[in-house]
Amino acid sequence: MSSFTEEQEALVVKSWNSMKKDAGEWGLKFFLKIFEIAPSAKKLFSFLKDSDVPLDQNPKLKIHAKSVLVMTCEAAVQLRKAGKVVVRDSTLKKLGATHLKYGVVDEHFEVTKYALWETIKEAAPEIWSVDMKNAWGEAFDQLVSAIKTEMK
């Protein structure tokens, strides 16, 4: 793993702090961006199949979106100090198994990273920069790598 620098950590922390209090709202926007970019990704979520509820009002999507955004951001914030992705081992194993079961592939992770960047840029436009994009990209790539390790 490449090292996550103090500067990258500071950028991630700063942007996450600006989103944290509205994590539910930003989580939902994050997932709506994913589905806007890749509408077929909706098929990967069992709770969206056969649902007539609009995506932006779906209570299960709201809960899932918030938990994914919080976990992603909290893992990113801890990356430098821990030197690795920190989520409970049981959570990583479950994430790996779930992503494998639903057929998640590299392209899905790339769309998700792009949607994350767009969400952070919208949430913190006054501090968004190339350096911040690179910091979040590095953190996200390390999280994805940890999940892929468990996709077996």
Side-chain angles (χ1 to χ4, degrees):
M1 287 282 158
S2 64
S3 63
F4 195 64
T5 67
E6 277 186 62
E7 292 78 17
Q8 288 175 312
E9 177 188 52
L11 290 167
V12 165
V13 168
K14 190 174 184 182
S15 51
W16 173 226
N17 284 342
S18 72
M19 298 166 60
K20 200 184 290 188
K21 70 177 178 3
D22 297 317
E25 178 189 333
W26 291 113
L28 184 60
K29 285 185 179 203
F30 172 44
F31 269 78
L32 293 176
K33 285 183 194 304
I34 291 170
F35 298 143
E36 184 184 317
I37 297 162
S40 63
K42 287 180 237 162
K43 292 190 208 101
L44 299 171
F45 298 90
S46 57
F47 58 81
L48 294 179
K49 288 187 177 124
D50 307 320
S51 173
D52 294 330
V53 180
L55 287 174
D56 63 345
Q57 294 168 26
N58 187 302
K60 289 181 178 172
L61 178 59
K62 286 180 178 184
I63 291 165
H64 180 75
K66 180 178 181 179
S67 69
V68 170
L69 182 69
V70 169
M71 187 218 45
T72 300
C73 294
E74 292 295 337
V77 164
Q78 298 172 45
L79 194 55
R80 189 185 66 82
K81 286 188 187 94
K84 63 182 172 84
V85 170
V86 178
V87 291
R88 290 192 315 273
D89 279 348
S90 59
T91 303
L92 263 182
K93 286 186 184 351
K94 187 178 176 204
L95 285 169
T98 302
H99 284 80
L100 182 65
K101 175 182 169 186
Y102 289 106
V104 175
V105 295
D106 288 350
E107 291 78 11
H108 296 125
F109 288 119
E110 287 303 310
V111 164
T112 303
K113 179 165 62 173
Y114 180 78
L116 179 66
W117 282 335
E118 290 297 304
T119 302
I120 296 163
K121 187 173 15 175
E122 185 181 334
E126 68 289 347
I127 58 174
W128 181 254
S129 66
V130 171
D131 288 341
M132 184 174 284
K133 178 183 178 183
N134 291 339
W136 277 105
E138 177 64 30
F140 184 83
D141 289 348
Q142 289 196 32
L143 177 60
V144 167
S145 177
I147 291 170
K148 284 181 178 178
T149 299
E150 298 298 335
M151 286 175 73
K152 51 188 185 266

